[in-house]
């Protein structure tokens, strides 16, 4: 059974700090990795995707991938209270199937 | 474009009742998916479809059925509802099987079975 593991949190950071969210996965052959943000009572919304080892930056968000360690992370710089949400890590198991982690709840304190 | 739409938003069922959750997308996506999300959990794949007339089981298909007669629509049928089916149901779609392609989600249906 292929798995995606995340710490459920909550991860609490002060406003303006860097939030670091982590995810590990079991399938060494995985090629595609996604971070979704989910506000309470809402649907998941894609915020980042990453396919190659290293860092990928988009505004205040940076995704980091290390395939050798089977580890993907999301950094949120200058965290804002509006970033408070659950962040879901998803790994593409096959050409069309995503395996989701259970999510990390982030709280940004004003 | 409306994207992925789902109806109803909320529904309460009695044990043993049946219902159909509707999902439609207007992005001409070939692939469509049904997930369920239990409180504090990630999303579990129920069924998916790679095109009109083609469907297959996901991780948790028991108690559900699907059909896909058109590219746009992918309804999910619950027969003989059970309390274990209390969950939030999300429909999603994607354009292709490319490894860079991702899935776009509808707003969800919150279902309670009493």
């Amino acid at each position: 059974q292929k798995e995606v593991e995340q710490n459920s949190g909550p991860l609490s950071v002060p406003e303006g700090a860097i939030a670091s969210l982590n995810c590990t996965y079991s399938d060494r052959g995985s090629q595609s990795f996604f971070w979704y943000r989910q506000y309470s009572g809402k649907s998941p919304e894609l915020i980042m995707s990453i396919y190659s080892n290293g860092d990928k930056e988009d505004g205040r968000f940076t995704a980091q991938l290390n395939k050798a360690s089977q580890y993907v992370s999301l950094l949120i710089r200058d965290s804002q209270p509006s970033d408070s949400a659950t962040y879901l890590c998803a790994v593409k198991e096959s050409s069309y199937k995503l395996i989701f982690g259970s999510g990390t709840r982030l709280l940004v304190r004003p | 474009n409306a994207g992925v739409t789902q109806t109803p938003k909320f529904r309460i069922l009695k044990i043993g009742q049946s219902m159909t959750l509707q999902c439609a997308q207007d992005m001409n996506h070939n692939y469509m998916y049904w997930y369920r999300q239990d409180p504090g959990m990630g999303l579990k794949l129920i069924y998916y479809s790679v095109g009109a007339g083609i469907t297959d089981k996901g991780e948790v298909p028991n108690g559900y059925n699907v059909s896909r007669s058109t590219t746009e629509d992918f309804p999910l049928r619950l027969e003989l509802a059970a309390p274990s089916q209390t969950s939030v149901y999300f429909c999603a779609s994607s354009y292709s099987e490319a490894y860079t392609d991702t899935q776009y989600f509808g707003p969800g249906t919150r279902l309670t079975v009493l």
Side-chain angles (χ1 to χ4, degrees), chain B residues 19-71:
Chain B
M19 75 164 294
T20 299
L21 282 66
Q22 300 292 344
C23 174
Q25 52 89 14
D26 62 359
M27 298 177 282
N28 201 31
H29 283 178
N30 294 311
Y31 295 80
M32 296 187 74
Y33 314 83
W34 274 106
Y35 292 91
R36 60 176 286 173
Q37 185 177 34
D38 298 329
M41 304 294 288
L43 288 87
K44 302 289 186 186
L45 182 65
I46 305 170
Y47 270 95
Y48 64 95
S49 169
V50 301
I54 307 169
T55 63
D56 205 350
K57 297 177 181 178
E59 194 180 351
V60 289
N62 290 346
Y64 308 95
N65 274 301
V66 294
S67 60
R68 183 127 180 247
S69 57
T70 67
T71 300

Side-chain angles (χ1 to χ4, degrees), chain A residues 11 13-20 60 74-79 106:
Chain A
L11 173 66
V13 300
E15 184 173 354
I18 295 175
S20 177
R60 295 187 295 112
L74 179 71
L75 301 178
I76 306 174
R77 290 182 299 282
D78 188 24
S79 295
L106 173 66

Side-chain angles (χ1 to χ4, degrees), chain A:
Chain A
Q1 177 73 8
K2 294 169 184 172
E3 293 182 340
V4 176
E5 301 283 346
Q6 294 181 257
N7 188 316
S8 60
L11 173 66
S12 181
V13 300
E15 184 173 354
I18 295 175
S20 177
L21 305 162
N22 305 314
C23 172
T24 59
Y25 59 95
S26 63
D27 183 8
R28 190 171 285 279
S30 298
Q31 291 186 287
S32 311
F33 308 86
F34 305 90
W35 283 100
Y36 286 83
R37 178 177 60 199
Q38 187 175 28
Y39 292 112
S40 181
K42 301 295 185 182
S43 59
E45 171 194 12
L46 179 70
I47 53 172
M48 289 288 289
S49 58
I50 188 166
Y51 316 112
S52 305
N53 277 330
D55 295 359
K56 179 182 177 183
E57 188 174 315
D58 184 0
R60 295 187 295 112
F61 298 97
T62 299
Q64 299 175 317
L65 175 61
N66 184 325
K67 290 185 178 180
S69 300
Q70 294 174 244
Y71 179 93
V72 58
S73 64
L74 179 71
L75 301 178
I76 306 174
R77 290 182 299 282
D78 188 24
S79 295
Q80 301 297 309
S82 59
D83 295 325
S84 297
T86 296
Y87 290 80
L88 301 170
C89 174
V91 177
K92 223 170 198 185
E93 177 192 83
S94 67
S95 59
Y96 42 81
K97 288 169 77 171
L98 284 178
I99 304 296
F100 285 85
S102 57
T104 298
R105 186 167 159 234
L106 173 66
L107 296 174
V108 181
R109 308 187 304 272

